[in-house]
Amino acid sequence: MLIRIGYDIELGVTAPTALIYMLQVHPSRAGDIVGGENTTISPPLATDFYRDGFDNQCARVRVPAGVTRVRLRNEAQVFDTGWPDPVNLGAYEYMPDQLPVETLRFLLPSRYCEVDGELLAFAWSTFGQVPKGWSLVQAICDYVHQHLVFDYQSARPTRTALEAWRERVGVCRDFTHLAITLCRCMNVPARYVTGYLGDIGIPPVPYPMDFSAWFEVYLGDRWWTFDARHNTPRIGRIKIAHGRDAADVPITMVFGNHTLERFEVVTEEVVG
């Protein structure tokens, strides 16, 4: 199938600054983009493209004096198999001393994922007897899915995994942070993913379209997709970036005062 993706984001700025955006499709899906992405910046501004330490595609826009608004737009079509997220119930779990060294940073505490302390004790008391591997990660997803209530009105960009656990409410990033933290507490490498996820194969939901967050864990010899918010295999995920948590993968980041003037996201199956 073909999936149409895109965004229209406008930011107001008050002084010369730099704007970083992480909105390009991840290199792992670059071969699925039909005809490339069509990113435009209004007004046209000098832009530097680079890869970060997680191999995500990033861009720095240099905003000079006199510019008060920056508008980012993109539209593209991406080929997708149309299959749900793969499931491998037999995927096994490495002990920490056997993990590939590049996965170890996804076991450590990070900005929004407090692996030590209260959640560590809770994780081992709750999941310590669950069989390791896929069953353990699924048990964590089941718990987070039931423990948190999804509520856009409660969104807070500074909420950590521990705070979400205590408050029992959040949005997709909170479900993801809590699940990642519990996985890391149980010595399963877990990383945060941001990307597109539309209402493909499910009834439409009564929320405005947005970018989505889910997570990946390292089991066996690869990374596998899990989603504590939806807690079911989904069709049509298109990855933009991954990192230790949301702090590593900001959609946009402005160095200075700014306002969000427009935010529209599109992800839908191309029909006909």
Side-chain angles (χ1 to χ4, degrees):
M1 70 166 60
L2 286 177
I3 299 175
R4 184 169 75 94
I5 61 171
Y7 54 81
D8 188 348
I9 302 171
E10 188 170 6
L11 299 163
V13 297
T14 59
T17 186
L19 158 66
I20 289 176
Y21 70 83
M22 200 176 294
L23 289 163
Q24 297 168 273
V25 172
H26 192 266
S28 62
R29 296 296 303 270
D32 296 327
I33 303 171
V34 180
E37 296 187 78
N38 302 297
T39 303
T40 61
I41 302 174
S42 303
L45 297 171
T47 303
D48 306 303
F49 297 94
Y50 64 98
R51 297 276 185 95
D52 67 7
F54 301 100
D55 202 33
N56 302 313
Q57 298 197 84
C58 311
R60 179 184 63 183
V61 181
R62 287 177 271 173
V63 184
V67 173
T68 59
R69 288 175 181 263
V70 179
R71 189 173 182 183
L72 307 171
R73 286 177 286 184
N74 181 40
E75 185 171 323
Q77 292 189 354
V78 180
F79 173 78
D80 192 81
T81 63
W83 301 337
D85 302 324
V87 174
N88 182 359
L89 301 179
Y92 56 90
E93 177 183 335
Y94 284 108
M95 295 295 290
D97 63 334
Q98 298 173 324
L99 284 165
V101 292
E102 62 269 18
T103 69
L104 295 177
R105 59 180 165 176
F106 299 107
L107 287 177
L108 303 176
S110 58
R111 168 68 179 86
Y112 295 109
C113 299
E114 309 99 324
V115 174
D116 46 2
E118 191 172 349
L119 283 175
L120 179 64
F122 170 80
W124 278 98
S125 66
T126 305
F127 305 108
Q129 302 304 312
V130 177
K132 295 185 181 297
W134 194 278
S135 296
L136 173 59
V137 179
Q138 186 56 60
I140 289 172
C141 281
D142 292 343
Y143 170 79
V144 174
H145 183 75
Q146 295 168 8
H147 184 75
L148 299 185
V149 174
F150 185 86
D151 181 8
Y152 262 125
Q153 301 304 313
S154 73
R156 190 173 74 247
T158 59
R159 181 183 285 123
T160 69
L162 180 60
E163 290 170 339
W165 181 62
R166 289 172 174 170
E167 296 169 19
R168 306 191 64 159
V169 69
V171 292
C172 59
R173 63 176 271 157
D174 302 306
F175 283 75
T176 301
H177 282 148
L178 180 54
I180 285 173
T181 302
L182 294 173
C183 284
R184 292 180 187 171
C185 286
M186 300 304 297
N187 298 327
V188 178
R191 65 190 187 189
Y192 186 100
V193 180
T194 184
Y196 294 93
L197 179 62
D199 302 332
I200 299 174
I202 65 167
V205 298
Y207 305 115
M209 187 59 64
D210 197 350
F211 295 108
S212 189
W214 59 89
F215 69 108
E216 297 172 339
V217 301
Y218 193 85
L219 296 173
D221 60 354
R222 56 165 284 188
W223 292 94
W224 298 89
T225 294
F226 284 85
D227 187 336
R229 178 198 164 186
H230 297 104
N231 203 29
T232 188
R234 292 286 299 272
I235 297 170
R237 294 184 198 273
I238 300 174
K239 181 176 181 176
I240 292 176
H242 67 248
R244 293 165 299 179
D245 58 32
D248 288 331
V249 292
I251 296 300
T252 60
M253 181 175 179
V254 181
F255 296 92
N257 292 330
H258 66 282
T259 55
L260 180 62
E261 303 293 338
R262 182 196 310 263
F263 186 85
E264 300 173 7
V265 178
V266 173
T267 173
E268 60 188 12
E269 182 181 0
V270 176
V271 179

